[in-house]
Amino acid sequence: MLKQLLARKTDFTDAEDTHGPALQRTLGPWGLTALGIGAVIGGGIFVITGQAAAEHAGPAIILAFVIAAVCCSFTALCYAEFATLIPMSGSSYSYAYATLGELVAWFIGWNMVLEYGVSASAVAVSWTGYFVSLLDHVGIHLPAALTNAPLAYQGGHLVATGALFNLPAVAIVLALTWLCYVGIRESSGANLAMVILKVGLIVIVIVAGWRYVNPDYWQPFIPANEAPEKYGWSGIMRAATLVFFAYIGFEATSTAAQEARNPQRDLPIATLASLAICTVLYIGIAAVITGLLPFDQLGTAEPVVTAVKAHASLGWLRWVVEIGALIGLSSVILVMVIAQPRIFMIMGRDGLLPPVFAKIHPRYRTPHINTVITGLGIAALAAVFPLDVLGDLVSMGTLIAFVAVCAGVLILRRTRPELPRTFRVPWAPVTCTLGVFSCLVLLYWENWYQWLMLGIWTVLGMAIYFGYGRRHSQLRRQLETESR
């Protein structure tokens, strides 16, 4: 049993042809880069930035973004090397399977449900907030019972709110799930259009808002510490763990490896380019909103709108922000609904999930049944749970996956040095070690109840693995055949 749990997958060839219809290779470097930007720019820039500034870092939220970006940059380099070695849609799951064994691979794959599936639900909840605000702006008011979650997290436990369910969140998830069902070309094209629009609108906000920035609001840049994790350096580090959520998704490019025309060349370019572009935009927005309004007034559900509304001459910009937020959040949900089914697909092919997860539509060339299951699950979570409950687990699951990827590069350098690498992590021992260390530092600043929730999530995942995955593993069957 232990041999199977530690067994590593050594066949990196793309075996799509043995599983019926293949995914369609239509994505080039621009489409892949747009996929990364589409996954990243959303809830972080439009929601979490202001809350992290008001409650933890003050104007030094800019430093928090830099710290999180440094952590992600180490990991991005590791993803880039893996993408040239293992051009499979399983992303961190496939990389862990090749380096750390089946049990760890399952653990990483299960945590990636948090990164993509649960994250998409959290973003859908944020989308509702901006959608309702935009409708209010034009005099249309939806009933609160249909725009809020029936549950809320208060006093350490869930309580009923009296609402029915979050209808707008469900609607946007199901609409984008249908788009993902009918084909990667259609969904990638829609994502590219949304990315161009939202980046353009964000640049307009930065340029227009910069004229009204008051540098006095940046003083002191690092507010004096008032309590644990409230301002000072402890507050900056706590803010870094929060804004890390804003970077989740830059590696979503790797989940489309089997739909890239030239994955060995284009995936490293797309991964690194999307991270760099998003970091510049994040720092620009953080500087503008903390310069438009005192940071302690930014702790709202719509901090960018709050900052803009403080200046009458920027009233027109509210429309830009709200439309940009809706487009930005929509593209995040879209990319997450693209990514999650493809990870499930690879896990299904490996036998760790039922075969239905590996089926490809003969016409649309998408994992159609898997996409429907994923979309319905995301919609159900978004309908019932509030943003704070959904967001708690996402960053932790992602950080753990990042640790595995950074460590995996060093392991594979030692165990399979002969493999051709069209991209190599520079100064790998230093870069990978710093990647692991920076992720562990951010994990250290997570709260105890988040660790408790992660423990419960892990127990559930291990029950599925030992109840189904281990017994149906393709690698297990291969090992049993070889031992006879």
Side-chain angles (χ1 to χ4, degrees):
M1 178 178 175
L2 181 60
K3 182 179 179 181
Q4 181 199 341
L5 298 181
L6 300 177
R8 293 177 298 189
K9 191 174 180 181
T10 57
D11 182 8
F12 303 146
T13 59
D14 186 338
E16 286 180 281
D17 292 340
T18 64
H19 298 86
L23 295 173
Q24 196 171 11
R25 291 192 178 275
T26 62
L27 299 178
W30 288 105
L32 289 168
T33 301
L35 205 64
I37 297 173
V40 172
I41 296 179
I45 200 168
F46 293 112
V47 181
I48 295 177
T49 302
Q51 295 174 353
E55 298 171 12
H56 299 289
I61 185 65
I62 296 171
L63 286 181
F65 272 116
V66 172
I67 292 170
V70 169
C71 171
C72 291
S73 64
F74 294 135
T75 310
L77 291 169
C78 296
Y79 267 99
E81 177 165 326
F82 263 127
T84 67
L85 283 170
I86 311 174
M88 302 286 287
S89 296
S91 188
S92 305
Y93 160 77
S94 294
Y95 308 157
Y97 214 157
T99 56
L100 301 171
E102 183 173 284
L103 181 62
V104 175
W106 169 264
F107 175 66
I108 297 300
W110 184 242
N111 279 328
M112 291 180 75
V113 177
L114 301 177
E115 180 178 359
Y116 294 122
V118 178
S119 176
S121 299
V123 173
V125 174
S126 299
W127 189 92
T128 295
Y130 276 94
F131 181 67
V132 170
S133 175
L134 183 62
L135 291 184
D136 287 343
H137 203 174
V138 296
I140 300 174
H141 307 288
L142 297 179
L146 294 177
T147 57
N148 290 286
L151 299 174
Y153 189 75
Q154 297 177 1
H157 57 277
L158 291 173
V159 297
T161 64
L164 295 176
F165 67 101
N166 192 330
L167 177 61
V170 172
I172 187 62
V173 169
L174 293 182
L176 295 174
T177 298
W178 172 81
L179 189 60
C180 294
Y181 183 98
V182 299
I184 187 66
R185 185 189 299 273
E186 291 76 9
S187 50
S188 175
N191 177 66
L192 179 59
M194 286 191 284
V195 165
I196 292 172
L197 282 171
K198 73 177 177 181
V199 169
L201 293 175
I202 290 169
V203 171
I204 290 174
V205 172
I206 294 173
V207 173
W210 194 261
R211 296 175 53 200
Y212 298 88
V213 163
N214 182 354
D216 292 340
Y217 290 152
W218 293 334
Q219 302 298 327
F221 187 67
I222 303 178
N225 182 259
E226 297 180 5
E229 300 182 355
K230 188 173 180 66
Y231 311 136
W233 277 101
S234 66
I236 292 173
M237 294 307 299
R238 177 57 183 152
T241 66
L242 293 176
V243 301
F244 177 80
F245 177 85
Y247 286 100
I248 289 174
F250 71 87
E251 79 294 353
T253 53
S254 61
T255 66
Q258 288 171 245
E259 288 149 298
R261 291 195 295 267
N262 188 349
Q264 280 86 355
R265 183 198 68 184
D266 295 342
L267 286 176
I269 295 172
T271 302
L272 297 172
S274 59
L275 178 61
I277 292 169
C278 293
T279 298
V280 171
L281 294 175
Y282 280 164
I283 292 174
I285 280 288
V288 166
I289 66 171
T290 54
L292 289 177
L293 196 66
F295 64 84
D296 56 0
Q297 299 179 31
L298 294 173
T300 67
E302 301 169 316
V304 183
V305 170
T306 301
V308 168
K309 286 167 60 178
H311 298 266
S313 55
L314 288 177
W316 63 273
L317 203 56
R318 177 180 174 181
W319 287 95
V320 174
V321 172
E322 290 178 338
I323 293 172
L326 288 175
I327 295 172
L329 295 171
S330 297
S331 70
V332 173
I333 300 169
L334 177 65
V335 175
M336 297 307 180
V337 177
I338 291 173
Q340 184 64 72
R342 282 149 181 80
I343 296 168
F344 282 155
M345 178 189 71
I346 299 298
M347 296 173 79
R349 290 181 178 178
D350 289 336
L352 303 187
L353 288 176
V356 67
F357 284 90
K359 290 185 178 297
I360 303 294
H361 195 285
R363 176 186 173 188
Y364 298 129
R365 301 294 181 89
T366 59
H368 56 303
I369 300 175
N370 190 355
T371 298
V372 171
I373 293 172
T374 299
L376 291 175
I378 292 171
L381 287 175
V384 175
F385 291 101
L387 177 61
D388 50 1
V389 172
L390 293 172
D392 275 342
L393 284 170
V394 173
S395 294
M396 296 188 73
T398 306
L399 283 166
I400 290 170
F402 284 4
V403 169
V405 170
C406 292
V409 167
L410 288 180
I411 293 172
L412 208 59
R413 286 276 187 99
R414 185 176 182 84
T415 58
R416 300 294 301 276
E418 78 285 358
L419 292 174
R421 293 165 168 85
T422 56
F423 178 89
R424 297 176 67 90
V425 174
W427 307 293
V430 175
T431 302
C432 297
T433 301
L434 288 174
V436 171
F437 176 74
S438 58
C439 290
L440 292 177
V441 168
L442 291 182
L443 281 169
Y444 171 79
W445 290 95
E446 298 287 358
N447 293 322
W448 67 268
Y449 67 85
Q450 293 170 317
W451 284 103
L452 176 62
M453 293 174 68
L454 182 66
I456 295 171
W457 177 258
T458 301
V459 169
L460 177 60
M462 288 303 163
I464 296 173
Y465 172 72
F466 286 102
Y468 180 90
R470 190 182 72 85
R471 292 186 293 110
H472 294 83
S473 168
Q474 294 290 340
L475 187 58
R476 179 191 183 188
R477 294 174 181 173
Q478 178 184 333
L479 292 174
E480 289 176 347
T481 300
E482 292 174 352
S483 63
R484 289 172 186 169

